[in-house]
Amino acid sequence: MCNVVIVEDRLESGISLARQFQEIAGKHSDWNVSVESVCYFQKNEKLAKEEIGKYIDLSYEIIPLSLWNFNEQLDKYYFADEKYVIVFDFLLDDDGSEGRMEERVNIRYAKNKMSENKIWFYTARGITTERILKELVGEDHVLGVAESNSKCLRLNIEENKDFVKLISD
Protein backbone atom coordinates (compact mmCIF):
# COMPACT_ATOMS: atom_id res chain seq x y z
CA MET A 1 0.00 0.00 0.00
CA CYS A 2 1.26 3.48 -0.86
CA ASN A 3 -0.16 6.16 1.41
CA VAL A 4 -0.23 9.68 -0.03
CA VAL A 5 0.10 12.75 2.18
CA ILE A 6 -0.69 16.13 0.63
CA VAL A 7 0.72 19.36 2.08
CA GLU A 8 -1.21 22.42 0.92
CA ASP A 9 -1.96 25.90 2.24
CA ARG A 10 -5.25 26.16 0.36
CA LEU A 11 -7.54 23.58 1.91
CA GLU A 12 -9.91 23.30 -1.07
CA SER A 13 -6.94 22.62 -3.35
CA GLY A 14 -5.67 19.92 -1.01
CA ILE A 15 -9.09 18.27 -0.91
CA SER A 16 -9.37 18.50 -4.69
CA LEU A 17 -5.99 16.83 -5.06
CA ALA A 18 -7.00 14.12 -2.57
CA ARG A 19 -10.11 13.53 -4.68
CA GLN A 20 -7.90 13.07 -7.76
CA PHE A 21 -5.78 10.47 -5.96
CA GLN A 22 -8.95 8.68 -4.87
CA GLU A 23 -10.17 8.65 -8.48
CA ILE A 24 -6.84 7.17 -9.57
CA ALA A 25 -7.08 4.53 -6.82
CA GLY A 26 -10.54 3.56 -8.09
CA LYS A 27 -9.39 3.49 -11.70
CA HIS A 28 -6.21 1.53 -10.94
CA SER A 29 -7.12 -0.73 -8.04
CA ASP A 30 -4.00 -2.81 -8.69
CA TRP A 31 -1.84 0.21 -7.75
CA ASN A 32 -2.95 -0.08 -4.12
CA VAL A 33 -2.69 3.65 -3.41
CA SER A 34 -4.70 5.65 -0.91
CA VAL A 35 -4.84 9.14 0.57
CA GLU A 36 -3.71 9.11 4.19
CA SER A 37 -4.12 12.80 4.97
CA VAL A 38 -4.16 16.38 3.82
CA CYS A 39 -1.88 18.54 5.95
CA TYR A 40 -3.35 22.03 5.91
CA PHE A 41 -0.53 24.54 6.31
CA GLN A 42 -1.87 27.56 8.16
CA LYS A 43 -0.07 29.78 10.67
CA ASN A 44 -3.27 30.42 12.64
CA GLU A 45 -4.15 27.13 14.35
CA LYS A 46 -7.60 28.32 15.44
CA LEU A 47 -8.49 29.34 11.89
CA ALA A 48 -7.12 26.05 10.57
CA LYS A 49 -9.30 24.03 12.95
CA GLU A 50 -12.37 26.07 12.00
CA GLU A 51 -11.75 25.48 8.30
CA ILE A 52 -11.05 21.79 8.82
CA GLY A 53 -14.28 21.49 10.84
CA LYS A 54 -16.27 22.29 7.70
CA TYR A 55 -15.21 18.99 6.17
CA ILE A 56 -16.64 15.86 7.74
CA ASP A 57 -17.02 12.27 6.58
CA LEU A 58 -13.87 12.18 4.49
CA SER A 59 -12.02 8.89 4.13
CA TYR A 60 -8.77 10.59 5.16
CA GLU A 61 -7.83 12.99 7.90
CA ILE A 62 -7.09 16.69 7.60
CA ILE A 63 -4.33 17.80 9.94
CA PRO A 64 -3.44 21.39 10.83
CA LEU A 65 0.20 22.07 10.03
CA SER A 66 2.28 25.12 10.92
CA LEU A 67 5.91 26.09 11.32
CA TRP A 68 5.74 24.85 14.92
CA ASN A 69 4.79 21.24 14.15
CA PHE A 70 6.01 20.94 10.55
CA ASN A 71 9.01 18.62 10.96
CA GLU A 72 7.47 16.59 13.76
CA GLN A 73 4.25 15.90 11.85
CA LEU A 74 5.90 15.09 8.53
CA ASP A 75 8.54 12.90 10.18
CA LYS A 76 5.68 10.65 11.37
CA TYR A 77 4.99 9.84 7.73
CA TYR A 78 8.52 9.98 6.42
CA PHE A 79 9.96 7.58 8.98
CA ALA A 80 6.93 5.26 9.23
CA ASP A 81 7.31 1.57 8.52
CA GLU A 82 4.50 1.77 5.97
CA LYS A 83 5.13 3.29 2.55
CA TYR A 84 4.33 7.01 2.36
CA VAL A 85 4.75 9.61 -0.35
CA ILE A 86 4.57 13.28 0.63
CA VAL A 87 3.31 15.65 -2.09
CA PHE A 88 4.10 19.30 -1.33
CA ASP A 89 2.72 22.51 -2.72
CA PHE A 90 5.89 24.54 -3.33
CA LEU A 91 4.62 27.95 -2.22
CA LEU A 92 3.16 27.66 1.25
CA ASP A 93 2.01 31.11 2.40
CA ASP A 94 3.53 32.47 5.62
CA ASP A 95 6.26 29.86 5.81
CA GLY A 96 8.85 32.29 7.13
CA SER A 97 11.02 32.30 4.01
CA GLU A 98 10.41 35.98 3.28
CA GLY A 99 10.62 35.37 -0.47
CA ARG A 100 13.84 33.33 -0.45
CA MET A 101 12.86 30.22 -2.36
CA GLU A 102 15.66 28.05 -0.99
CA GLU A 103 14.55 28.92 2.56
CA ARG A 104 10.97 27.70 2.16
CA VAL A 105 10.03 25.37 5.02
CA ASN A 106 9.21 22.47 2.68
CA ILE A 107 12.44 22.89 0.69
CA ARG A 108 14.49 22.89 3.90
CA TYR A 109 12.62 19.77 5.05
CA ALA A 110 13.18 17.99 1.77
CA LYS A 111 16.87 18.86 1.31
CA ASN A 112 18.14 16.04 3.53
CA LYS A 113 15.46 13.54 2.63
CA MET A 114 15.20 13.54 -1.17
CA SER A 115 17.39 10.47 -1.65
CA GLU A 116 14.64 8.05 -0.58
CA ASN A 117 12.18 9.23 -3.28
CA LYS A 118 9.37 9.87 -0.80
CA ILE A 119 8.99 13.60 -1.48
CA TRP A 120 7.44 15.24 -4.53
CA PHE A 121 6.47 18.83 -5.31
CA TYR A 122 4.15 20.80 -7.54
CA THR A 123 3.33 24.44 -8.11
CA ALA A 124 0.36 26.06 -9.76
CA ARG A 125 1.95 29.50 -9.82
CA GLY A 126 3.29 29.53 -13.35
CA ILE A 127 6.15 28.35 -15.50
CA THR A 128 8.77 30.62 -13.92
CA THR A 129 7.98 29.33 -10.43
CA GLU A 130 8.00 25.76 -11.75
CA ARG A 131 11.44 26.33 -13.27
CA ILE A 132 12.74 27.60 -9.90
CA LEU A 133 11.21 24.58 -8.15
CA LYS A 134 12.90 22.19 -10.59
CA GLU A 135 16.24 23.88 -9.96
CA LEU A 136 15.79 23.49 -6.20
CA VAL A 137 14.60 19.87 -5.98
CA GLY A 138 15.35 18.40 -9.38
CA GLU A 139 13.02 17.93 -12.31
CA ASP A 140 12.50 14.29 -11.39
CA HIS A 141 10.65 15.30 -8.19
CA VAL A 142 8.19 17.77 -9.71
CA LEU A 143 4.67 16.86 -10.83
CA GLY A 144 3.13 19.02 -13.53
CA VAL A 145 -0.15 20.81 -12.97
CA ALA A 146 -2.98 19.90 -15.35
CA GLU A 147 -5.61 22.28 -13.95
CA SER A 148 -5.71 24.90 -11.24
CA ASN A 149 -8.29 27.39 -10.09
CA SER A 150 -9.67 28.50 -6.73
CA LYS A 151 -11.68 25.29 -6.23
CA CYS A 152 -9.83 22.67 -8.25
CA LEU A 153 -6.29 21.35 -8.46
CA ARG A 154 -5.34 18.45 -10.69
CA LEU A 155 -1.84 17.17 -11.36
CA ASN A 156 -0.41 15.25 -14.30
CA ILE A 157 0.00 12.18 -12.11
CA GLU A 158 -0.62 9.40 -14.59
CA GLU A 159 1.68 11.01 -17.18
CA ASN A 160 4.69 10.91 -14.84
CA LYS A 161 6.15 7.41 -15.23
CA ASP A 162 8.50 7.69 -12.25
CA PHE A 163 5.72 8.81 -9.91
CA VAL A 164 3.36 6.12 -11.20
CA LYS A 165 6.04 3.48 -10.59
CA LEU A 166 6.52 4.80 -7.05
CA ILE A 167 2.84 4.77 -6.08
CA SER A 168 1.97 1.55 -7.92
CA ASP A 169 4.75 -0.73 -6.62
Side-chain angles (χ1 to χ4, degrees):
M1 171 72 73
C2 180
N3 302 295
V4 176
V5 176
I6 300 160
V7 180
E8 175 63 70
D9 63 337
R10 289 170 175 75
L11 188 52
E12 286 184 341
S13 293
I15 290 169
S16 176
L17 188 51
R19 196 173 305 121
Q20 181 185 8
F21 274 103
Q22 289 175 322
E23 290 167 9
I24 288 170
K27 182 178 173 184
H28 301 283
S29 58
D30 57 316
W31 288 9
N32 207 15
V33 63
S34 73
V35 176
E36 174 75 18
S37 60
V38 172
C39 294
Y40 177 40
F41 187 81
Q42 168 60 252
K43 72 177 184 178
N44 183 326
E45 188 176 346
K46 182 180 179 198
L47 177 63
K49 288 180 179 181
E50 287 173 11
E51 288 295 311
I52 290 168
K54 296 176 184 176
Y55 296 92
I56 55 173
D57 297 329
L58 298 173
S59 61
Y60 52 88
E61 61 184 342
I62 302 176
I63 297 171
L65 188 66
S66 69
L67 289 175
W68 311 115
N69 68 344
F70 195 88
N71 288 359
E72 178 184 353
Q73 183 61 51
L74 293 175
D75 280 353
K76 289 178 185 176
Y77 303 118
Y78 190 84
F79 293 112
D81 291 334
E82 300 85 26
K83 183 178 178 181
Y84 282 92
V85 174
I86 303 170
V87 180
F88 283 108
D89 177 15
F90 175 41
L91 299 178
L92 300 173
D93 289 342
D94 297 320
D95 77 340
S97 66
E98 298 178 8
R100 294 181 310 272
M101 297 297 185
E102 67 280 355
E103 294 297 318
R104 301 203 71 80
V105 67
N106 49 5
I107 297 297
R108 288 192 326 256
Y109 182 82
K111 286 266 186 205
N112 297 322
K113 295 179 169 81
M114 292 295 280
S115 63
E116 290 191 39
N117 199 27
K118 293 182 179 185
I119 297 176
W120 287 71
F121 286 86
Y122 64 90
T123 183
R125 305 257 182 112
I127 197 100
T128 302
T129 306
E130 185 177 317
R131 190 174 325 117
I132 292 167
L133 176 59
K134 287 178 178 178
E135 288 174 14
L136 288 170
V137 301
E139 190 169 336
D140 54 338
H141 284 273
V142 177
L143 294 165
V145 174
E147 180 182 356
S148 175
N149 59 50
S150 63
K151 301 226 183 240
C152 179
L153 174 65
R154 295 189 70 80
L155 302 178
N156 291 324
I157 294 169
E158 294 177 271
E159 288 79 18
N160 188 307
K161 293 176 186 171
D162 292 332
F163 190 74
V164 166
K165 182 173 177 13
L166 176 66
I167 65 173
S168 64
D169 281 346

